[in-house]
């Protein structure tokens, strides 16, 4: 090996490193020699190894970019196996990044190509990813179909049996079928191999409601077996899993582990590590609900505050969280008095609308408030109906302090009359230009000009943004997106795109689009267009979670916008305009789906 590495024989160096599985150890040398050979097979290998190293370090975005940049090498013949591996790994990374639409695209592409080229092992991996994605977006029927097919094909393999039953247990528990979840996790354990880290998480969940004496040993065996290959963020998740398990039987040990998980997840360099973000959020969930169970509502509110990194309002506040069968509400009323309530008896899924979920005595404490700030943790955040329309309220969404609005003249971006791609069966919406306020400069993006790149560029310095277009929820990824004019194969404004932006003008954003406020199923952070806009720097977002009528929708949103421009606080403006509309026609149910995010 020393002789080969010291030689000038590039093909022997590349071959030796591949054969001895030491590419990662000599990655820069391998990359240099692979480039000199100009062989796409080895250039793809470089991309995979570099992405694997970044992934291990928790740098998932960079790893994803590396693999995407390598895909053009796949245009040659004879590269099917290597390119399938790249697409499957891309799908894995995008699942971790919660970008399910693209993750499904690569997994489906790989699945079809693997079947066509008889790469049965890679077909198995692609099918597995499709099942995982369906489970993570809460599409129970589709996930069961994929897992059943997987089990049919690989029934004779113990590890395949373990993987499937782990995921069937997770699906059952997500749907609060506790006895079924216990049977499935027991079937996974009976396969003989240790559980995966995600299987260990599911076991910790099930054990809260249906514990077995051997659960602790199985949990530790699973986490110890996998720890060497786990990234720092993933190790924080593993610590959380132990804390989540032990807090049900040993409060001191459980809390110690959960705080350790938060400390691990908060280490420098993990700010954008999705596993670390999940470990931190899930650990606060367990700590908050433990405090709620003990009736320690002040302690629970302090945990809300610590997680957020900010002091909470002293009055007119609703703090809310839910996890599986548990729901907690804490209210600070108009007089600042505190009320709390926790329930652990729910055995059915939360409805999309949350009407009636908050108890009457808690609502009564909030009724005298001018407006109410609602700090709702996922999965409650962004759902309509949490408070009645008679109360002026908004979802507190920002995690950090808002940036100061840009000084200078107000810039109002208006996107409307978007040119519809010819392959879509939706009608063209007419262009609309609003009346401008004193000193306000209009930046229109109308018709064919309303392309994704031009809209995103104009957003960066806008102080007010009106997006008037069609909105959809992708049926297989549960993510909402806005339709824009076609541009080099791109025609959507998506949650991941908005999250990556920096809105320097701290704009107030109005989404006049069906489902513009829809929140995807996620437990670690709000995942929606409004949350993405606020993360990018918006000071507020007005959006509907349901379908809206075209002309009436325009008028309603613009009336609310005009009241805000007159100096009325946004939550009060929304409540008052909605009350006027409902008084004229109480059947306009879509009005109660319009939410304010601040």
């Amino acid at each position: 090996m020393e002789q080969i590495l010291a030689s000038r024989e590039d093909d022997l160096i590349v071959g030796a490193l591949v054969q001895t599985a030491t590419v990662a150890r000599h990655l820069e040398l391998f990359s240099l020699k692979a480039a000199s050979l100009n062989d796409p097979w080895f250039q793809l290998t470089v991309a995979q190894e570099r992405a694997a190293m970044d992934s291990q370090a928790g740098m998932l975005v960079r790893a994803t970019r590396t693999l995407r940049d390598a895909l053009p090498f796949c245009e040659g013949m004879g590269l099917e196996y290597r390119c399938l591996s790249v697409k499957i790994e891309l799908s894995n990374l995008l699942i971790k990044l919660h970008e399910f639409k693209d993750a499904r695209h690569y997994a489906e592409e790989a699945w079809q190509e693997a079947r066509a080229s008889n790469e049965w092992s890679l077909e198995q991996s692609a099918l597995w990813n499709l099942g995982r994605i369906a489970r993570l977006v809460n599409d129970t029927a589709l996930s069961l179909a994929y897992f059943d097919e997987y089990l049919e094909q690989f029934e004779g393999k113990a590890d395949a049996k373990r993987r499937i039953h782990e995921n069937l247990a997770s699906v059952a528990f997500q749907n609060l079928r506790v006895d079924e979840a216990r049977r499935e996790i027991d079937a996974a354990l009976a396969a003989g191999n240790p559980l995966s880290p995600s299987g260990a998480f599911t076991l910790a969940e099930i054990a809260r409601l249906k514990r077995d004496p051997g659960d602790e040993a199985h949990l530790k065996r699973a986490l110890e077996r996998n720890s060497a290959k786990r990234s720092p963020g993933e190790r924080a998740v593993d610590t959380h899993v132990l804390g989540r398990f032990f807090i049900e039987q040993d409060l001191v040990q459980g809390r110690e582990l959960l705080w350790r998980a938060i400390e691990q997840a908060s280490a420098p360099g993990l700010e954008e590590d999705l596993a670390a973000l999940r470990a931190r959020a899930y650990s606060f969930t367990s700590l908050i609900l433990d405090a709620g169970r003990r009736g320690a509502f002040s302690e629970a509110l302090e945990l809300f505050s610590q997680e957020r990194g900010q002091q909470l309002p002293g009055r007119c506040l609703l703090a809310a969280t839910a996890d599986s069968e548990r729901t907690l509400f804490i209210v600070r009323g108009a007089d600042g008095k505190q009320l709390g309530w926790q329930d652990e008896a729910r055995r059915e899924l939360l409805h999309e609308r949350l009407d009636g979920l908050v108890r009457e005595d808690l609502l009564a404490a909030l009724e005298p408030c001018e407006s109410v700030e609602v700090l709702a943790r996922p999965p409650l955040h962004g759902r309509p109906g949490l408070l009645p329309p008679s109360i002026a309220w908004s979802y507190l969404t920002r995690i950090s302090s808002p940036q100061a609005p840009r000084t200078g003249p107000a810039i109002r971006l208006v996107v409307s009359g978007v040119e519809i791609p010819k392959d879509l069966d939706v009608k063209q919406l007419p262009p609309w230009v609003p009346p401008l306020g004193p000193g306000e400069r209009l930046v229109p993006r109308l018709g064919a000009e309303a392309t994704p790149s031009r809209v995103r560029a104009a957003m960066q310095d806008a102080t007010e943004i009106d997006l008037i277009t069609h909105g959809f929820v992708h049926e297989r990824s549960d993510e909402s997106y806005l339709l824009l004019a076609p541009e080099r194969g791109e025609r959507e404004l998506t949650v991941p795109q908005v999250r990556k932006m920096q809105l320097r003008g701290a704009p107030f954003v109005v989404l006049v689009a069906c489902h513009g406020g829809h929140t995807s199923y996620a437990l670690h952070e709000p995942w929606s267009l409004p949350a993405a806009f606020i993360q990018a720097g918006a000071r507020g977002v007005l959006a509907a979670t349901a379908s809206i009528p075209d002309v009436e929708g325009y008028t309603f949103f613009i009336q609310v916008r005009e009241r805000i421009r007159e100096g009325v606080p946004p939550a009060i403006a929304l409540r008052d305009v909605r009350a006027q509309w409902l008084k004229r026609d109480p059947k306009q149910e879509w009005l109660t789906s319009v939410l304010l995010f601040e």
Side-chain angles (χ1 to χ4, degrees), residues 87-305:
K87 289 176 182 177
I88 289 168
E89 185 53 34
L90 249 178
S91 177
N92 282 329
L93 290 168
L94 289 164
I95 289 171
K96 292 179 180 180
L97 287 169
H98 209 86
E99 296 185 22
F100 296 129
K101 183 181 176 184
D102 285 351
R104 189 189 297 279
H105 166 75
Y106 288 115
E108 285 184 333
E109 208 171 76
W111 186 36
Q112 292 163 3
E113 291 172 8
R115 296 180 75 179
S117 56
N118 201 30
E119 292 287 356
W120 64 268
S121 178
L122 293 175
E123 178 189 346
Q124 172 188 5
S125 298
L127 180 61
W128 176 251
N129 277 6
L130 289 170
R132 289 170 62 206
I133 294 164
R135 175 176 67 80
L136 290 166
V137 301
N138 224 19
D139 191 337
T140 301
L142 187 60
S143 63
L144 291 175
Y146 280 128
F147 290 144
D148 282 347
E149 180 168 350
Y150 185 98
L151 195 57
E152 289 264 342
Q153 292 187 26
F154 306 102
E155 190 173 7
K157 296 193 172 185
D159 204 51
K161 184 177 179 181
R162 187 264 309 160
R163 294 174 82 185
I164 286 296
H165 286 294
E166 279 182 6
N167 276 269
L168 292 176
S170 178
V171 170
F173 196 83
Q174 273 181 249
N175 289 276
L176 292 177
R177 300 194 299 268
V178 180
D179 291 340
E180 179 185 337
R182 184 72 240 187
R183 288 194 300 272
E184 292 292 352
I185 203 68
D186 287 342
L189 292 168
N193 294 339
L195 298 176
S196 69
S198 63
F201 191 107
T202 302
L203 175 59
E205 283 279 74
I206 295 168
R208 185 174 67 250
L209 298 178
K210 208 168 183 66
R211 186 181 295 265
D212 185 270
D215 286 347
E216 181 178 337
H218 287 304
L219 202 63
K220 289 181 175 179
R221 182 183 175 211
L223 298 178
E224 288 167 2
R225 180 194 183 219
N226 293 285
S227 63
K229 299 178 181 179
R230 306 279 277 167
S231 72
E234 289 169 337
R235 286 196 288 275
V237 173
D238 295 344
T239 305
H240 160 76
V241 169
L242 287 173
R244 176 173 283 244
F245 178 82
F246 279 110
I247 201 168
E248 300 299 320
Q249 54 186 336
D250 183 338
L251 181 60
V252 174
Q253 184 180 7
R255 294 179 72 183
E256 180 185 335
L257 285 163
L258 291 169
W259 280 115
R260 190 189 307 166
I262 291 170
E263 183 181 353
Q264 290 174 318
S266 304
L270 297 184
E271 293 81 7
E272 297 184 8
D273 186 307
L274 265 292
L277 291 176
R278 291 185 178 108
R280 187 177 188 276
Y282 298 164
S283 295
F284 271 109
T285 298
S286 294
L287 289 167
I288 288 169
L289 287 169
D290 169 68
R293 173 190 292 171
R294 292 183 281 110
F297 298 121
S298 295
E299 180 185 330
L301 270 185
E302 179 57 31
L303 288 165
F304 272 98
S305 179

Side-chain angles (χ1 to χ4, degrees), residues 46-60:
V46 170
Q48 282 187 278
E49 292 289 350
R50 202 176 294 283
M53 291 174 66
D54 285 340
S55 178
Q56 179 74 10
M59 294 183 286
L60 303 184

